[in-house]
Each structure stands twice: as structure tokens, then as C-alpha cells.
Amino acid sequence: MAANTVTFRGLRDEEVYEDFEVEKAVAMESEVVKNFIEKDTGMEPLRFPIPCRNIKSGKVLEMVLDYCKFHAHARSFTIPDDDVKTWDNEFAEKALSADKNQVTFCHILLAANFLQIEDLFCLLLKAGADLLKDKSVEELRQIFKIENDFSEQEEEAIVQETKWTYA
Amino acid sequence: MGMPIDRLSDLPDNLLCCNILSLLPLKDAIRSSVLSTRWRHLWKHIPCLHFSRDFFESANHPDRVRSECLGYLKHTVDDILLRHSAELESFRIYFGHPLSRVNLENIAEWIDCAAVKGVKHLGLIIDFTTMEIHIPPSLFDCHSLADLELGGFTFSEIPTDFGGFLSLKTCSFSNIYNLTDDKLQQLIALCPNLQKLVLEACFQLENLRIRAPDLDSLKLRGCYSIESLTADCPRLVKLEVEDCDSLFKMQLNFCVFLQNVTASGFGSFGGVCTVKFLKTLSFMAYPEISHPPFLTLVGSFPDLEELKLTAIFFEDMTVGKMVVPRQDVAAQKLLAHTKFPNLKKTVGDGRIR
């Protein structure tokens, strides 16, 4: 492995894995990696691939690293904020529509949390919140496949409790 | 490896509630409790409760008041605070107009509740009121306060056993009645870590003396009765004084880091400032500004790099690093007489005079 790259290993299980090699600058978008590299005493940083046990699929890791690549690039080439924002919004859209149940979205969110990529984490949180905003209860249940496991009386009681929110 | 995540609902609690739900307006967050048993109690752990202007307007709507009661707002806030079960990082509530007194009855208890929950950011804004609403003593029990914003209250006494807001970093007082120089001084002395202070429309302040070792930003706005300002703030970096028409004396002691002063609406300014390293100074100069005192003021900044004078009645002319009112002859004279070694200036048609 070259001295300027870092490899992330997405572990499906102990046998099956997928490696992604990126430039060091890209990997440093992750606070976890950044701390690790900075604490290193100048020896070849990260000779071994970083095991990402919590990141279940290669696709998720790939998307996360795409984000990191763009942002590392944007930083060094000072791409205007508006363009970065547009890219970010498109990325969030892609993450949300990657599959029907927002599973990929959730996994990317968790990966951003695990690798401590603050900007990605906040971006997705906001995207998630925007999805939930101003929707009726029925719409929310449909979009997020939430099963209503309340009895009729229970549901009625909760609606009563929170009736001010239905103004 | 953790539970499988099949959908949004499967995210861990702290991600769902502390993060996502807390980004929603309070209304939407609380409504989520009816989605399913999983979501029932999640909202109760969000770290911030913000009762915004929208909430006030809907709770105070005449239709609602007619069908429910005058104190509907109070009951709703009571209810939510009662059910909320976690620590509270941020509590903000806005009261608009018209406001019936009954809705303010439980403010002291609300603050008490927030204090117990370890509130760090507290905002209580009362807009447009002629009522005298005293700051509840329970405010002084909020020991973990890092950020305080109060508007429209009447300041009473600081309790004698008050140990101070030791973590308070930012403080903003707007339209606070009965806030005298002494009381403000006393309060600031008890907040040793204060970094940012904003005072707006506090009409009982006259001779303001601010002694705050950590203060880096001070803003005074619309405090019409302030006549003098003395700041002993060794870390002050930014000072903004706007619409303080009676201010005639400003003394900034030991402010070696002060870089940025923005001032507007001065009456006759005759102050002395001892600030060595000031780099940018902006004044909204009205045509009547009396120049000798102004020259004295401006002359005490040998390191000045940028001087901006803006006269609202004239068309501004931007010349290099200086903005000069084109028709303000007096301002032109000022520039001709001042000597700033670091000030890059060209005047008029580009030639240095």
C-alpha cells in the first residue's frame, strides 16, 4: 500500500470483504482516521486496511467515500459554497432514494457516525428531518413503513394528548 | 453486530430522537408519538424544547382561545414539560401579542423545571408588552447556563445567595426594564466566563462600566440613555455601538486585541480611547458630527488600516480601502488632516493628495 493512501475494508463477514483505497486527504475527512494519523509518530501511516465492521455493504462504504472524495477536492480547490451545497443536496437525494425503505440512507448515516464524518452526518440528519417535517401521520407511516401497533383506544388517547399539534 | 436496520424506525434512539427529532419543529416532533409504540416516547428525550412564534400564534389564536381557554398556552407548556423526561439542553419560549397575564403565571415553575433538567441555553422573549413582568428568582437557580437571552422582563433584585452563572458564555438582554448600571455590573461580575454581551433598549443604563476578563464581543443597541461606556475587557475583539444617541464618552482600557469597532448614531462624540492595535473602524457619520473630538478619537489608533465613514444621506464613494461620503466636505477635510501610516488611501480621482 502506497504511503499516501488509506484503505478501508468493508467487512461482510470474516471471509468476504471489499477494499476501497483512497488518498490520505480523502480519508482524513473522517475524524477517527484523522486522529489516528495525527497521533502516529511519522511512520508510514496506516499500513493496514481499516476494518469497518459496522459498515455492512460495499455500496454504503463506496457512497461514503464518494462524499469524502468530493469534499476533500472541494476543500483544496476552493469550490464555491453554493456548488458544494448543490452537490450535497443531490447526494442526500441519492442516499434517500437508493432503495424503498431508506435502508441505504440509514446505513450511510450510521457509517458517518461510526467514522465521525461530521458534515456528512449533519447533512443526512437534516435530510431525514426534512422528510419528516409537515407530513400527516398517515403519510409518515406510509413513507417509512411504520406499522401502527396501537389499539384504537390507545391511538385515540394519544391524539387527544397531542391535539394541539394538529392545529 | 447490532440489530438489523430495515428502515428509519430501526435507527438507535439517540440518533432518532436526540438528532433527527430535535431538528424538527416541536409540533412535528411531538406528533411523532402517535406513529407506533416505538415512537411513542421518543420525543420525550429530545434535548431542546423551543416554543417559537408559530407556537404562540397558534396557541393564542382567538378561535382557540374561544374554544379552549385563555390560558391554553400555559396549559400546553405545562403539559409538555411534565411529560418530557430527559435532560434539557435548550429551552426557548416566545410570547407575542396580545398576551394575557394568565399565560405567564407559571413562568417561574417552567424555569425551575428547566433548571432541574440542567438547561444550558435559555431564551425567554416577551415581545410588545406594557405589563411589568418580573424575572422569576428561579432563573438564578439555572447553574448550568451557558447562554441566556431575555426580552421584555423587568429586572428585580439579584438574590443575595446567588453564586453566579459560572458557565455563562453569551448573554443578551433586550428591553429589560429597571436594569440599572449597578445591577448589571453586579451580574456581570458574577459571570466570570462571559464572552459575548448584547444590550438592547435597556433604558436605565447611563454610565456603563463593564469589567469582564473573558469578554470578546460587546454590542450596544438602542440604549438611548447611555452617556458613558467604560470597558475593562482585556480580551475584547469586537465592539458595536448602534443608536446610543447620548453616548459621549467611551473608554476602552487594556483592550489590546480590539480590532473591530462599529459605531453609528453618535451624538456629539468627545471620548478618549486608549486602544493601540485597532485595525478597522467604521462610523456612520451624520453630517453634524463635530470634528475636533472625532479627530482626537480617530487619532488614537496609529495602526488603523481601514476607516469606513458612511453618511446615510449622501451617496457613498468607495475609494480603495476607504468609504467617504462624496459630498461631505467636512469628512474630506478630516481625511486630509489625519495621518495614518498604515491606511491605504486614495482620494477623489485616484491621485494621492
Side-chain angles (χ1 to χ4, degrees), chain A residues 103 129 141 145 149 164-165, chain B residues 6-7 24 31 34-35 37:
Chain A
V103 176
R141 285 207 186 110
K145 312 282 186 301
D149 50 358
W164 71 272
T165 66
Chain B
D6 288 326
R7 46 214 167 137
L24 290 175
R31 208 192 299 177
V34 78
L35 285 173
T37 49

Side-chain angles (χ1 to χ4, degrees), chain A:
Chain A
M1 190 169 78
N4 272 336
T5 64
V6 172
T7 302
F8 288 86
R9 176 163 288 179
L11 285 173
R12 215 80 62 82
D13 51 56
E14 290 310 316
E15 314 281 317
V16 183
Y17 59 81
E18 212 172 329
D19 278 353
F20 297 87
E21 194 174 334
V22 295
E23 302 266 314
K24 191 165 101 179
V26 172
M28 301 258 280
E29 293 285 314
S30 153
E31 200 65 28
V32 165
V33 172
K34 184 161 176 256
N35 288 340
F36 195 81
I37 290 182
E38 281 171 354
K39 287 207 179 97
D40 206 294
T41 51
M43 286 162 40
E44 209 181 294
L46 302 174
R47 283 155 287 166
F48 305 104
I50 300 176
C52 299
R53 252 172 239 287
N54 293 358
I55 301 178
K56 286 302 195 63
S57 87
K59 178 171 174 193
V60 170
L61 192 46
E62 199 176 6
M63 281 189 81
V64 171
L65 292 174
D66 275 346
Y67 179 91
C68 296
K69 280 187 196 142
F70 178 79
H71 276 254
H73 176 81
R75 234 183 274 274
S76 46
F77 289 91
T78 46
I79 293 183
D81 283 344
D82 283 339
D83 292 342
V84 173
K85 229 173 166 178
T86 312
W87 191 94
D88 276 353
N89 289 338
E90 282 171 10
F91 180 87
E93 261 311 302
K94 246 194 306 181
L96 281 170
S97 49
D99 57 66
K100 277 193 299 189
N101 291 356
Q102 299 88 35
V103 176
T104 310
F105 169 83
C106 291
H107 282 290
I108 300 180
L109 183 62
L110 288 168
N113 194 25
F114 171 71
L115 290 171
Q116 287 178 36
I117 305 170
E118 181 75 25
D119 291 339
L120 176 58
F121 187 60
C122 290
L123 173 70
L124 293 181
L125 281 183
K126 178 125 203 317
D130 285 343
L131 258 195
L132 293 173
K133 224 196 282 203
D134 288 334
K135 298 258 179 10
S136 75
V137 171
E138 266 324 302
E139 280 174 313
L140 287 174
R141 285 207 186 110
Q142 235 177 6
I143 298 176
F144 297 105
K145 312 282 186 301
I146 299 172
E147 209 185 292
N148 180 5
D149 50 358
F150 286 124
S151 72
E152 247 187 69
Q153 295 98 315
E154 279 175 320
E155 189 172 341
E156 186 49 40
I158 301 175
V159 168
Q160 268 308 302
E161 247 172 47
T162 58
K163 65 182 173 175
W164 71 272
T165 66
Y166 294 90

Side-chain angles (χ1 to χ4, degrees), chain B residues 90-133:
Chain B
S90 169
F91 180 57
R92 299 184 67 86
I93 180 161
Y94 170 88
F95 296 98
H97 175 77
L99 181 60
S100 65
R101 225 177 218 293
V102 67
N103 279 318
L104 296 163
E105 271 167 15
N106 291 353
I107 276 200
E109 279 88 0
W110 295 343
I111 300 181
D112 215 11
C113 180
V116 164
K117 284 173 181 285
V119 70
K120 298 202 181 79
H121 304 267
L122 183 64
L124 303 164
I125 313 290
I126 306 178
D127 236 350
F128 308 128
T129 183
T130 49
M131 289 191 270
E132 217 179 74
I133 303 150

Side-chain angles (χ1 to χ4, degrees), chain B residues 74-319:
Chain B
K74 172 185 82 161
H75 290 315
T76 312
V77 177
D78 277 346
D79 195 50
I80 293 173
L81 274 177
L82 202 68
R83 289 178 205 280
H84 185 267
S85 53
E87 283 202 345
L88 203 54
E89 262 201 33
S90 169
F91 180 57
R92 299 184 67 86
I93 180 161
Y94 170 88
F95 296 98
H97 175 77
L99 181 60
S100 65
R101 225 177 218 293
V102 67
N103 279 318
L104 296 163
E105 271 167 15
N106 291 353
I107 276 200
E109 279 88 0
W110 295 343
I111 300 181
D112 215 11
C113 180
V116 164
K117 284 173 181 285
V119 70
K120 298 202 181 79
H121 304 267
L122 183 64
L124 303 164
I125 313 290
I126 306 178
D127 236 350
F128 308 128
T129 183
T130 49
M131 289 191 270
E132 217 179 74
I133 303 150
H134 287 260
I135 293 179
S138 49
L139 173 69
F140 298 99
D141 289 330
C142 298
H143 300 297
S144 4
L145 266 190
D147 163 36
L148 174 64
E149 191 180 338
L150 288 181
F153 283 88
T154 300
F155 206 91
S156 16
E157 294 303 315
I158 299 176
T160 41
D161 61 349
F162 177 52
F165 293 128
L166 301 174
S167 326
L168 195 68
K169 294 228 160 70
T170 59
C171 180
S172 167
F173 286 151
S174 165
N175 290 102
I176 303 287
Y177 307 104
N178 206 27
L179 181 65
T180 59
D181 299 324
D182 288 334
K183 290 202 194 118
L184 180 62
Q185 221 166 294
Q186 194 189 349
L187 182 63
I188 293 180
L190 292 166
C191 304
N193 292 309
L194 194 64
Q195 287 177 1
K196 192 167 157 183
L197 178 63
V198 174
L199 297 168
E200 187 174 339
C202 295
F203 305 130
Q204 275 73 50
L205 296 173
E206 291 174 347
N207 295 301
L208 194 53
R209 191 191 183 105
I210 299 191
R211 192 180 272 145
D214 258 8
L215 198 72
D216 61 51
S217 159
L218 174 62
K219 180 167 173 173
L220 300 175
R221 194 162 172 239
C223 296
Y224 295 117
S225 34
I226 290 189
E227 292 174 353
S228 76
L229 166 68
T230 310
D232 289 322
C233 306
R235 288 193 204 260
L236 195 65
V237 170
K238 187 165 168 186
L239 171 65
E240 277 172 75
V241 179
E242 208 179 300
D243 291 330
C244 297
D245 287 345
S246 310
L247 182 61
F248 72 88
K249 181 172 167 201
M250 196 158 76
Q251 192 157 326
L252 309 170
N253 298 330
F254 316 117
C255 298
V256 295
F257 296 112
L258 189 58
Q259 291 203 341
N260 218 295
V261 174
T262 308
S264 74
F266 272 64
S268 55
F269 191 94
V272 168
C273 286
T274 51
V275 185
K276 267 184 36 182
F277 303 111
L278 193 66
K279 290 209 161 49
T280 66
L281 180 60
S282 293
F283 264 105
M284 290 261 284
Y286 292 85
E288 310 85 43
I289 200 169
S290 56
H291 286 292
F294 184 70
L295 270 177
T296 317
L297 166 68
V298 168
S300 30
F301 308 131
D303 287 336
L304 202 64
E305 281 175 13
E306 181 174 334
L307 173 64
K308 182 169 163 172
L309 299 177
T310 320
I312 55 173
F313 300 113
F314 298 119
E315 190 190 296
D316 293 333
M317 181 173 82
T318 309
V319 180

